[in-house]
Amino acid sequence: MAIRLLPPQLINQIAAGEVVERPASVIKELLENSLDAGATRLDVEVEQGGVQLTRVRDDGGGIPREELSLAVARHATSKIVTLEDLERVATLGFRGEALPSVGAVARLTITSRTSGDTHGWRIEGDGHGHYSEPAPAPHPVGTTVEVRELFFNTPARRKFLKREQTEFDHVDTVLRRLALARPDVEMHARHNGRSLLDLSPATEQTQRDRRVADLLGGEFMDHALHITHTVAGLILRGWIARPSFSRSQPDMQYFYVNGRTVRDKLLSHALKQAYHDVLFHGRHPAYVLYLELDPARVDVNAHPAKYEVRFRDSRLVHDYVFRTVEAVLRDTTPQVVTASQRTAITTLPAGAPSMPGSSQQDLSLRIAEQMAHYAKLAEVPATAAHAASEPAVTPPLGFALAQLHGVYILAAAADGLVLVDMHAAHERITYERMKAAMQSGKLASQPLLVPMTVSVSRREADLAESSAEALAKIGFVVMRRGPETLVIREVPALLADQDTPQMLRDLLADLCEHGGSRRMHDALEHVLATRACHTSLRAHRGLTLMEMNALLRDMERTPRADQCNHGRPTWTRLSMHELDKLFLRGR
């Protein structure tokens, strides 16, 4: 067939395919334009999942009359002028394709007013590339964009849309992502006349916490750990959920780079690695995180919908995110309750009566005994009489009372009752000690009686040769025998029974792809986790109060002690308020 130029309308519809996939795509593009225009309030109205109508109104700077026609022209934008601007994109949109693409597959109306005009101006498109001349129209400062009958002129595209509820769910996801991206912006949304979102601007930390709770649910915030960390021009802030709030799907993962929503494999991998030691297999973490860095260090032009980005120094960013989140998770240990929550653990006076058959007096004396033993920790004189008369600063997990069926430890804490799964807790303690011992020096290697020959690519052989010293530090002694041949002479002693050639190939593949690898580290930790599980306290083993308290104190000092190596919680607390509710006290 002869080569020919495509008609302008067909060019626009092809371009629209990159930008407009469904109503949610329209919402995203319009909202990002509004935010780039400096909007502080967004009003969104949607009908039939956005297929029949999508209307976005903002209070941004508006579009002058003489620029309205340019706004619907392809590759026309106010956001980049030079190549330098393109290399340092700081706006959400910049290609100048959103409005013309939408206008190619729907009936588009734009009404806008700038602060210098006494009234607004409106243009209307017929979905076939024709637009009216700007006409006067009443409108406050800002812009309203209406998109009606999406894909009315492209039936093949429209038939691929899902049912209304499905399309609405996608719209809802986009709205919530944008609401999390810009908590400082007021947002209201309606679907088929029903209120969907009514969010006030959130500029203070407590307000931002409340917005996250409104959008993701209070349970997320109940389990959330706040992050704020800065190093080498990189800033990471936001919230990560404790491992006990893990999800069956990656449906509560929100990551923003310089305010832009991204779904980036590099960042996802870094977070997965940070959580790998504390989650059940197949579970997914929940988080809302914001990464800020110099726009020149990230390329946002790597994907038509701008969901993926490319970092100039991907390894640095990956390690920064991984290490920052891992450090926060490492500190998930039992926390001391605040002063307002502290209550006294008191004992009965020596001559106080007790009910016949009651063990209350005995229980009180046992608590006093433990408090005396831990007097220095509790910061009170080591006498039962003093403990009886003054409030005590109790350790986070309190003092052991008893063992339940040889499985759980019951402890009296400052704010109620603590229950500890002794096997899960001891497993984490043992595992962390093994890891610390492993990381304290060079890993032991085991010489092979018969060296193994491994065939690899030339690139991998070059990498193995240049990384020989680094490989030796993790127990691999590897030599090059030919252009595509390696010889393994020593392997990590802990992994001697593994498929060594395959592990080396995987290591080299990681180094080629990411510039580094945690594969060995993860494999070693898996071996240690298994050993920790097998050597930890078994169920139904009787412990003395002294042993129980020793375990509680070890938990308070151990990283990641809130969950075992498999992601199960190691302890829980029933507060006095919760206990009172159980027994209907105060009613």
Side-chain angles (χ1 to χ4, degrees):
M1 296 181 64
I3 298 174
R4 66 193 66 155
L5 288 172
L6 294 174
Q9 175 61 11
L10 184 55
I11 292 174
N12 286 337
Q13 289 183 338
I14 292 172
E18 293 186 349
V19 179
V20 184
E21 178 186 1
R22 59 190 345 139
S25 309
V26 176
I27 291 278
K28 174 183 178 293
E29 297 292 342
L30 299 186
L31 289 177
E32 288 182 349
N33 277 347
S34 295
L35 292 173
D36 284 342
T40 61
R41 173 176 174 139
L42 298 171
D43 291 273
V44 181
E45 189 170 347
V46 175
E47 294 180 5
Q48 295 181 21
V51 177
Q52 184 60 32
L53 169 68
T54 294
R55 180 186 294 121
V56 173
R57 170 174 287 192
D58 66 57
D59 63 350
I63 306 173
R65 177 192 183 281
E66 61 273 16
E67 294 181 11
L68 275 174
S69 297
L70 276 175
V72 291
R74 292 191 65 212
H75 304 300
T77 180
S78 62
K79 301 171 186 178
I80 55 173
V81 177
T82 66
L83 178 60
E84 183 179 351
D85 294 334
L86 187 61
E87 293 175 346
R88 298 181 57 90
V89 173
T91 53
L92 297 174
F94 55 89
R95 295 184 175 193
E97 294 181 6
L99 290 176
S101 293
V102 172
V105 291
R107 305 188 194 279
L108 178 66
T109 301
I110 305 175
T111 309
S112 191
R113 176 187 165 190
T114 63
S115 58
D117 288 335
T118 57
H119 58 77
W121 296 89
R122 174 181 296 156
I123 63 170
E124 298 180 356
D126 62 0
H128 298 286
H130 305 113
Y131 289 89
S132 65
E133 287 296 316
H139 197 276
V141 174
T143 303
T144 298
V145 180
E146 287 186 1
V147 179
R148 295 184 177 274
E149 300 179 63
L150 184 63
F151 298 141
F152 80 97
N153 56 353
T154 51
R157 296 276 302 279
R158 183 153 186 163
K159 73 179 183 180
F160 280 100
L161 292 177
K162 307 301 181 183
R163 59 190 182 92
E164 179 179 328
Q165 182 60 46
T166 301
E167 296 300 335
F168 165 71
D169 289 342
H170 286 285
V171 168
D172 184 55
T173 297
V174 167
L175 290 173
R176 293 177 187 277
R177 285 190 180 275
L178 265 294
L180 288 169
R182 290 293 302 273
D184 58 312
V185 175
E186 184 177 354
M187 182 178 287
H188 305 274
R190 300 171 65 82
H191 179 240
N192 292 341
R194 181 176 60 86
S195 177
L196 179 62
L197 293 177
D198 279 301
L199 299 173
S200 301
T203 55
E204 298 178 356
Q205 187 59 47
T206 53
Q207 295 172 331
R208 289 192 286 267
D209 288 346
R210 191 177 309 117
R211 175 172 281 207
V212 173
D214 289 341
L215 292 168
L216 301 187
E219 191 177 359
F220 173 85
M221 287 306 297
D222 289 343
H223 292 81
L225 301 166
H226 189 259
I227 289 180
T228 301
H229 188 261
T230 304
V231 67
L234 299 171
I235 303 174
L236 185 67
R237 57 185 178 85
W239 301 262
I240 62 173
R242 292 176 181 272
S244 54
F245 188 73
S246 64
R247 314 280 292 177
S248 61
Q249 300 293 329
D251 60 344
M252 205 172 280
Q253 298 180 349
Y254 300 88
F255 207 110
Y256 303 89
V257 176
N258 289 346
R260 182 187 305 281
T261 302
V262 298
R263 294 193 292 265
D264 186 82
K265 293 179 181 178
L266 178 90
L267 298 172
S268 297
H269 183 267
L271 285 154
K272 182 179 179 182
Q273 288 292 315
Y275 271 90
H276 90 282
D277 210 15
V278 290
L279 280 187
F280 267 124
H281 178 70
R283 302 291 294 181
H284 301 272
Y287 50 80
V288 179
L289 289 171
Y290 307 84
L291 177 64
E292 299 171 22
L293 70 166
D294 185 341
R297 298 172 68 179
V298 56
D299 178 11
V300 299
N301 199 22
H303 187 272
K306 300 183 288 292
Y307 276 124
E308 297 176 8
V309 294
R310 185 181 297 111
F311 296 101
R312 307 295 183 199
D313 190 342
S314 59
R315 190 64 199 170
L316 174 68
V317 173
H318 179 281
D319 286 351
Y320 169 65
V321 172
F322 161 69
R323 296 186 187 282
T324 302
V325 174
E326 186 194 40
V328 174
L329 292 171
R330 191 185 309 129
D331 292 335
T332 52
T333 57
Q335 300 297 308
V336 179
V337 293
T338 62
S340 62
Q341 294 174 312
R342 290 174 185 149
T343 57
I345 300 179
T346 59
T347 62
L348 291 174
S354 61
M355 294 180 62
S358 166
S359 63
Q360 184 173 357
Q361 186 176 19
D362 177 59
L363 182 62
S364 303
L365 290 174
R366 289 164 68 188
I367 297 174
E369 174 190 339
Q370 300 310 318
M371 288 184 66
H373 187 74
Y374 291 100
K376 185 177 180 180
L377 182 60
E379 297 179 359
V380 295
T383 65
H386 194 92
S389 60
E390 285 188 20
V393 179
T394 310
L397 294 178
F399 298 102
L401 300 173
Q403 196 176 10
L404 181 63
H405 296 305
V407 177
Y408 301 104
I409 294 173
L410 278 61
D415 189 37
L417 179 68
V418 165
L419 293 92
V420 174
D421 181 329
M422 68 179 200
H423 171 72
H426 193 239
E427 183 178 0
R428 171 58 70 182
I429 293 167
T430 305
Y431 179 38
E432 292 297 332
R433 286 177 178 170
M434 286 181 174
K435 286 199 298 181
M438 179 184 75
Q439 294 165 3
S440 63
K442 178 181 175 181
L443 289 174
S445 60
Q446 176 176 311
L448 297 178
L449 292 175
V450 180
M452 296 183 181
T453 302
V454 184
S455 297
V456 295
S457 68
R458 184 180 293 270
R459 182 186 178 192
E460 289 172 333
D462 292 341
L463 192 58
E465 189 173 22
S466 62
S467 306
E469 185 176 347
L471 290 170
K473 287 182 179 179
I474 57 176
F476 265 112
V477 175
V478 180
M479 299 182 67
R480 188 170 188 172
R481 176 170 287 177
E484 298 179 348
T485 305
L486 299 174
V487 175
I488 304 174
R489 297 192 177 277
E490 296 182 25
V491 298
L494 285 173
L495 302 177
D497 59 345
Q498 305 290 316
D499 184 345
T500 306
Q502 185 59 48
M503 179 162 290
L504 178 61
R505 289 191 188 96
D506 292 342
L507 268 171
L508 295 174
D510 288 348
L511 289 170
C512 288
E513 180 70 19
H514 305 296
S517 178
R518 282 185 54 86
R519 191 177 297 272
M520 280 288 299
H521 186 271
D522 293 347
L524 289 166
E525 288 191 348
H526 177 73
V527 172
L528 294 183
T530 302
R531 292 190 178 183
C533 183
H534 292 163
T535 59
S536 296
L537 290 169
R538 311 312 299 174
H540 310 299
R541 174 181 166 181
L543 299 179
T544 66
L545 281 175
M546 198 71 70
E547 289 172 326
M548 292 184 226
N549 278 303
L551 182 65
L552 298 180
R553 302 295 80 81
D554 277 346
M555 286 179 66
E556 292 160 356
R557 293 188 292 264
T558 299
R560 308 174 185 87
D562 283 356
Q563 52 280 317
C564 75
N565 315 343
H566 311 293
R568 292 192 297 109
T570 57
W571 69 283
T572 190
R573 175 189 284 117
L574 286 173
S575 68
M576 292 302 297
H577 176 69
E578 290 169 320
L579 290 168
D580 288 344
K581 284 178 63 178
L582 284 174
F583 292 98
L584 306 181
R585 289 179 62 86
R587 294 194 181 182

